[in-house]
Amino acid sequence: MNRSPALLALTACSLATLAACGNTTQPAASTSPSSTPTARETVDAAGHTPRLAITYDGGVQVLDAETGKPEGDFPLDGFTRLNQAGNGRHLLVTEGDHFKALDMGVWSQAHGDHFHSRKTSPLLTDMTFDGSHPGHAVHHGGRTALFYDGEGRIEWFEPTSLSVEKPQTHQVKLPKAHHGVAVFREDDSLVHTVGDEKTRTGIAIQDGDGHRVAENKDCPGVHGEAAAKGALSVGCEDGILVVKGNKITKVKSPDPYGRIGNQAGSEKSSVVLGDYKVDKKAELERPTRITLTDTAKGTLKLVDVKASYSFRSLGRGADGEALVLGTDGKLRVIDPDAARVTAEIPVTAAWTEPTEWQKPRPTLYVQGKDVWVSEPATKQLHLVDMTTKKVGRSITLDRVPNEVNGVTG
């Protein structure tokens, strides 16, 4: 991938102009290496060794995905979240005012025409990426972009350089702080949200030289993003924005207030799966319809899945199929092109979405070809066999799972 030296000069422009930015940014100072012990034994693995991570009230636990055996347990204070670091080995744990690197302890290295797989014990390192109110972390286009809501600041790094030492990071400062997101693309351009503490209005695109080349402010309450085949999407309170090249197109919702926030995309499909809410005044709306937006055709379809779901219910299968976990305990498989439910797989008991979004609820996590569903009420993780359309096996935990993430090794 071509790396433009001018990318280091990325900075935000005034919303009123598409002219080049005048300020430049400097690489953030790299902290000292993490305290990852060199004494951890590393051994060869017979192929990839997937591992899972779950958050619970009081910490993060790492499991062997094949055996369910706990490989590490790390106490933490407060509510924590899990994010992909982008290198296939680390996760980023959101804790307080920083992202902290969790070394999952499994990885593979290229060796000619094949790979050598290795494993060691997992470790929650002291390597952190610091900022006020860390929010979204998005890996795309060969870089991982971290968004700090309390500062309106984007910090990015190349995840291939993340190992036992903190990689060099670079900064993009936006005019106003807001709850936002940023996504890099393969051509060195950056797509990011715009707004302030009270309102979020749309998105902008900066090229590799830091110039504002496009923007769209017709996206009230902008939230969430997804990458589809040939496009990016971000959600609005009245539709969705589709980004292809430097062109930003609005696909409107069929309702005046039709909020699309959480989305799931696939490189194998031009269709983005999204949630759909129509009650602006609801404290917690429990919708039963989802959206399927075809980014190639600019069309949006609604599908009633006959059960409500939560923001942790959406995913995409290995073949691009849309997946929705309902509160009736069934995992629905949806053909994204036909907008049709093709299977309903019983996985958990019926459940109710908690009012507080931080509280545990059944969560869908797709790890390569594996589809996992957590069930906090029974302290279990269920692996769904997408061939037989049944639960293949279950792991019983000694913790109540909240968020679920992992690496394939």
Side-chain angles (χ1 to χ4, degrees):
M1 179 181 302
N2 180 37
R3 296 283 186 245
S4 168
L7 184 59
L8 305 186
L10 280 171
T11 187
C13 303
S14 165
L15 299 181
T17 180
L18 300 183
C21 302
N23 298 322
T24 59
T25 59
Q26 298 296 324
S30 178
T31 63
S32 59
S34 96
S35 60
T36 305
T38 57
R40 282 193 300 163
E41 181 184 9
T42 299
V43 298
D44 290 328
H48 300 322
T49 309
R51 282 180 176 171
L52 299 168
I54 63 165
T55 64
Y56 62 89
D57 186 9
V60 177
Q61 188 176 70
V62 177
L63 311 166
D64 184 302
E66 298 291 341
T67 65
K69 173 187 173 183
E71 297 287 350
D73 200 306
F74 308 101
L76 289 168
D77 293 328
F79 177 69
T80 57
R81 307 201 70 185
L82 298 171
N83 314 272
Q84 288 289 329
N87 66 352
R89 174 174 175 171
H90 293 80
L91 296 180
L92 299 177
V93 181
T94 308
E95 180 199 29
D97 276 342
H98 58 245
F99 296 95
K100 178 174 284 190
L102 171 61
D103 183 353
M104 295 288 281
V106 289
W107 67 97
S108 295
Q109 295 173 312
H111 189 264
D113 61 352
H114 61 283
F115 287 86
H116 284 178
S117 296
R118 309 277 284 167
K119 65 179 180 179
T120 186
S121 57
L123 180 75
L124 183 64
T125 74
D126 65 355
M127 185 194 309
T128 63
F129 302 85
D130 304 311
S132 175
H133 293 84
H136 288 272
V138 179
H139 170 63
H140 192 265
R143 277 147 291 187
T144 300
L146 313 176
F147 200 100
Y148 298 100
D149 294 348
E151 304 173 35
R153 180 170 61 89
I154 302 161
E155 182 177 26
W156 65 270
F157 61 90
E158 296 189 7
T160 54
S161 63
L162 173 59
S163 58
V164 295
E165 293 186 5
K166 183 177 178 179
Q168 185 182 58
T169 65
H170 308 278
Q171 314 293 327
V172 180
K173 188 69 173 68
L174 303 182
K176 300 286 186 180
H178 64 280
H179 177 54
V181 67
V183 185
F184 274 99
R185 298 188 294 180
E186 287 79 1
D187 64 356
D188 287 345
S189 63
L190 173 68
V191 179
H192 64 79
T193 53
V194 294
D196 55 36
E197 294 180 354
K198 295 182 179 180
T199 60
R200 301 189 302 275
T201 57
I203 62 172
I205 303 174
Q206 293 185 19
D207 65 16
D209 293 319
H211 300 163
R212 178 74 58 83
V213 295
E215 65 179 326
N216 185 304
K217 294 186 285 186
D218 183 23
C219 188
V222 59
H223 183 271
E225 53 73 35
K229 183 179 180 180
L232 296 177
S233 69
V234 295
C236 317
E237 291 179 348
D238 58 357
I240 195 168
L241 294 182
V242 175
V243 184
K244 291 189 288 186
N246 289 334
K247 184 178 180 180
I248 306 172
T249 305
K250 176 73 168 283
V251 181
K252 288 186 174 294
S253 296
D255 297 281
Y257 181 86
R259 183 183 185 274
I260 301 169
N262 301 287
Q263 300 145 68
S266 168
E267 294 181 355
K268 295 187 176 181
S269 173
S270 62
V271 179
V272 172
L273 166 67
D275 57 8
Y276 193 65
K277 297 183 177 182
V278 295
D279 187 353
K280 189 174 184 178
K281 297 181 180 180
E283 179 182 1
L284 175 62
E285 184 176 352
R286 293 184 168 90
T288 63
R289 293 183 295 173
I290 55 91
T291 57
L292 295 170
T293 304
D294 192 324
T295 60
K297 299 178 180 178
T299 58
L300 184 154
K301 297 179 181 178
L302 296 175
V303 177
D304 194 336
V305 295
K306 309 300 182 182
S308 63
Y309 55 89
S310 86
F311 73 98
R312 292 185 186 158
S313 292
L314 307 181
R316 302 301 289 267
D319 295 323
E321 64 270 41
L323 304 174
V324 181
L325 177 65
T327 55
D328 59 358
K330 296 178 181 179
L331 177 67
R332 281 150 177 93
V333 182
I334 303 171
D335 182 325
D337 297 312
R340 179 174 60 88
V341 177
T342 60
E344 295 184 355
I345 308 171
V347 182
T348 73
W351 52 282
T352 300
E353 181 182 5
T355 302
E356 297 180 18
W357 70 269
Q358 297 96 335
K359 295 295 184 181
R361 81 283 307 284
T363 295
L364 173 67
Y365 169 61
V366 181
Q367 184 182 49
K369 294 184 178 180
D370 291 339
V371 176
W372 292 94
V373 174
S374 68
E375 188 167 13
T378 61
K379 296 184 180 178
Q380 287 183 306
L381 287 174
H382 306 292
L383 178 62
V384 180
D385 188 321
M386 297 303 291
T387 300
T388 64
K389 301 297 188 292
K390 295 179 180 179
V391 173
R393 61 185 173 92
S394 299
I395 297 173
T396 300
L397 309 169
D398 58 5
R399 310 289 189 186
V400 176
N402 197 337
E403 289 207 353
V404 184
N405 214 315
V407 296
T408 60

